[in-house]
Amino acid sequence: MATPTTVAQAIERDLHRLRVEIEDLPTLAEEWADAQDSVRYDAELTWHSVMVGLRERLDPAYRSGQMTPKQAERYRALLQKLREALPIIARLGFLTPHVPLEP
């Protein structure tokens, strides 16, 4: 069974990855047309991995109260950023979030 410290660290890691990928979306969209296939493939795999983490770890941790208050606050802010990024996500053809984007 995972210790509370291990769970908190895993949540931190997933929050960080989600934030970085969301922040990278506008730049990625600007460069997408000229990107090599390998770059596109890597970006799609990374995004997919982050979306799986969101669906299978982050959202359940948030909904079950496993996040610290600061983590929950950051998670809600990231959900807002995801809502705002939906047009870019669609334009890139990336997997859309499969969690409620309203906290």
Side-chain angles (χ1 to χ4, degrees):
M1 184 169 185
T3 66
T5 301
T6 304
V7 170
Q9 290 171 342
I11 291 169
E12 282 299 319
R13 182 179 53 248
D14 283 339
L15 286 170
H16 174 76
R17 287 186 70 210
L18 180 59
R19 181 187 57 79
V20 167
E21 292 305 315
I22 292 170
E23 289 175 354
D24 193 40
L25 284 172
T27 303
L28 191 59
E30 287 177 16
E31 300 169 352
W32 197 248
D34 298 325
Q36 294 180 346
D37 288 343
S38 62
V39 171
R40 288 179 177 208
Y41 182 72
D42 184 54
E44 290 177 53
L45 283 179
T46 300
W47 183 258
H48 185 270
S49 173
V50 169
M51 289 298 98
V52 169
L54 172 66
R55 184 185 71 236
E56 293 184 5
R57 294 184 301 272
L58 280 178
D59 197 63
Y62 174 74
R63 308 252 173 231
S64 68
Q66 290 181 306
M67 290 185 177
T68 68
K70 286 186 178 185
Q71 287 174 332
E73 182 179 328
R74 287 173 39 219
Y75 181 70
R76 288 187 296 272
L78 288 170
L79 290 178
Q80 173 63 37
K81 290 184 182 291
L82 270 173
R83 282 191 303 274
E84 294 167 0
L86 285 174
I88 296 172
I89 294 166
R91 189 169 50 236
L92 294 171
F94 282 5
L95 180 67
T96 57
H98 288 209
V99 299
L101 295 181
E102 298 293 330

